[in-house]
Amino acid sequence: MSAEINNREHKAQDPQEAARKEERKAVLKEIIRQLHEGKTVDQVRDLFAEHFDGVAASEITDAEQALIESGTTVEEIQSLCDVHSSVFKGSIEEIHMPNDPKLIPGHPVNTLFRENKALEKLIQEIEGSLEAGELSRLRASFEQLQLISVHYQKKENLFFPYMEKYGISAPPKVMWGVDDEIRAMLKSNLEEIREMESLDPILKAGIEESLTKVREMIFKEQEIMVPMLVENLTQDEWLTIAQDTKEFGYCLIKEPTPWVPSKAYQEEAPEADDSQLADGIVSLPTGKFTLEELMTVLNMLPIDITFVDRYDRVKYFSEAKERIFHRARTVIGREVANCHPPASVHIVEGIVNDFKSGKKDNEDFWIKMGPNYILIRYFALRDSQGDYLGTLEVTQNIAPIQALTGEKRLVSMED
């Protein structure tokens, strides 16, 4: 991997190549700006054709990143995302590895493509039901389509952290915002379908709009996101994603055959593990644990724990058998702001800032999730001098506690 990085750096130092990339980036930025200012796709298409006969996914990313750095908000980029993707569609160069991960069973890229293929097939079935006016069949297919949330959760929790690690920060923010829009639209469509006795034109138009957005996202994942990941991720990082995928499940496909990396793949040097202590003992003021004992105790607690350090990076989470919110090990080291949908980032940042300033020491939220009643608590962690150490998130399903009545004493166990 280091050889590849040196190679890319060497190429980037070529003055002519650097100038060409800057020129192309400037044109891309201009196209995106014009779209944002209200020009139609047809009006910018000629400008695009004049300067490009093919464009790498990374150059679109650079343009978006440059716009954000110059003051354009993520929401503004997101609002024109579908429009500019339709301009770029068909012009993005495919980036292949010698062993194409799309063709390797169990590889995360192969799994993503298989899920997208299943989504495309389901969309075609839905379109057939729309044309035939078969409401019951449409309702059943739309129930299945809600599984797209599983697909998006894996992308947001497994792929995005690595994109951020390699400095690709704009596309994840934009994509997550669009994911949330799609989820909301599909949920609204399903609610309307459930209440309808016959299919009306307004509902049909709304469903078609949602399906278009799903298809656009499939294109962005496969032609923009995947090439960037393939270019940057090490085999060990892909293996971590593959292993954590089970935590989330699969969208419209069966669990794939486990992927076994090649020998060359396993020769990459592992990252240093700073969790191991010389004597294998964690000493605390009130007692001692072996590492295995401590891990087992933390994972046995009937709560989910996540610790974010003073630098706003996720440093630890517990792995209880029945988690309320999915966590994957790819989240370790990720900025906490990037672990939340763009629409709620400001709330998270507000809580952390209040903890850092000393304005607050805790904050609680509670939400309904089906039969579960989830209590989410945030605590500011401070050292003996009162200096901020980080934030602890504690999540618990309190529905069973609320259902308790009367008393159950230890003496009642004697029978």
Side-chain angles (χ1 to χ4, degrees), residues 122-346:
L122 184 58
I123 287 171
Q124 291 173 3
E125 292 175 6
I126 290 172
E127 289 171 337
S129 299
L130 281 175
E131 288 301 315
E134 297 176 351
L135 197 59
S136 60
R137 186 176 156 202
L138 177 66
R139 188 179 297 116
S141 295
F142 238 84
E143 294 277 3
Q144 279 189 293
L145 190 55
Q146 304 305 306
L147 285 172
I148 200 171
S149 184
V150 172
H151 182 83
Y152 289 166
Q153 284 175 1
K154 286 188 291 187
K155 177 175 62 176
E156 293 153 2
N157 290 278
L158 300 179
F159 293 155
F160 286 0
Y162 284 121
M163 295 175 77
E164 294 154 9
K165 173 182 175 180
Y166 288 101
I168 306 167
S169 57
K173 290 183 174 68
V174 175
M175 274 191 173
W176 200 331
V178 178
D179 287 350
D180 284 344
E181 284 183 2
I182 292 172
R183 279 185 281 233
M185 291 173 71
L186 295 179
K187 182 180 179 182
S188 176
N189 292 152
L190 181 58
E191 288 172 354
E192 291 185 71
I193 292 169
R194 284 170 173 165
E195 294 176 1
M196 287 283 183
E197 293 184 2
S198 61
L199 192 61
D200 67 38
I202 296 177
L203 176 56
K204 183 179 178 183
I207 292 171
E208 289 171 346
E209 182 184 0
S210 299
L211 299 182
T212 297
K213 276 192 171 288
V214 173
R215 279 202 170 108
E216 289 290 346
M217 183 53 72
I218 289 173
F219 169 79
K220 293 166 196 167
E221 288 175 359
Q222 297 184 174
E223 303 298 336
I224 297 176
M225 181 185 74
V226 166
M228 290 187 291
L229 288 165
V230 169
E231 182 180 1
N232 288 286
L233 267 62
T234 68
Q235 300 285 359
D236 285 338
E237 289 168 339
W238 280 122
L239 182 58
T240 298
I241 292 174
Q243 291 170 338
D244 283 347
T245 296
K246 277 188 176 183
E247 172 78 14
F248 298 86
Y250 301 91
C251 173
L252 303 175
I253 66 170
K254 294 180 180 179
E255 181 176 340
T257 303
W259 172 47
V260 180
S262 65
K263 182 179 179 181
Y265 193 65
Q266 295 169 339
E267 286 175 354
E268 294 176 1
E271 293 183 4
D273 183 358
D274 60 3
S275 68
Q276 299 299 317
L277 303 180
D279 57 2
I281 299 294
V282 179
S283 297
L284 302 172
T286 55
K288 296 180 180 181
F289 289 100
T290 65
L291 289 174
E292 183 178 10
E293 288 170 345
L294 180 58
M295 182 177 68
T296 304
V297 168
L298 291 171
N299 291 341
M300 185 56 68
L301 294 174
I303 54 176
D304 291 347
I305 302 171
T306 303
F307 170 53
V308 177
D309 68 14
R310 70 178 76 198
Y311 306 108
D312 302 334
R313 294 191 177 275
V314 179
K315 200 165 185 179
Y316 167 81
F317 66 90
S318 60
E319 294 183 296
K321 289 183 179 179
E322 296 182 8
R323 291 198 59 85
I324 296 167
F325 298 115
H326 289 297
R327 292 280 190 278
R329 295 182 185 184
T330 49
V331 79
I332 300 301
R334 193 180 189 190
E335 289 187 24
V336 67
N338 293 333
C339 299
H340 297 266
S344 62
V345 167
H346 66 287

Side-chain angles (χ1 to χ4, degrees), residues 382-393:
R382 308 188 193 280
D383 63 18
S384 57
Q385 282 75 46
D387 293 328
Y388 177 75
L389 292 175
T391 295
L392 185 70
E393 179 192 80

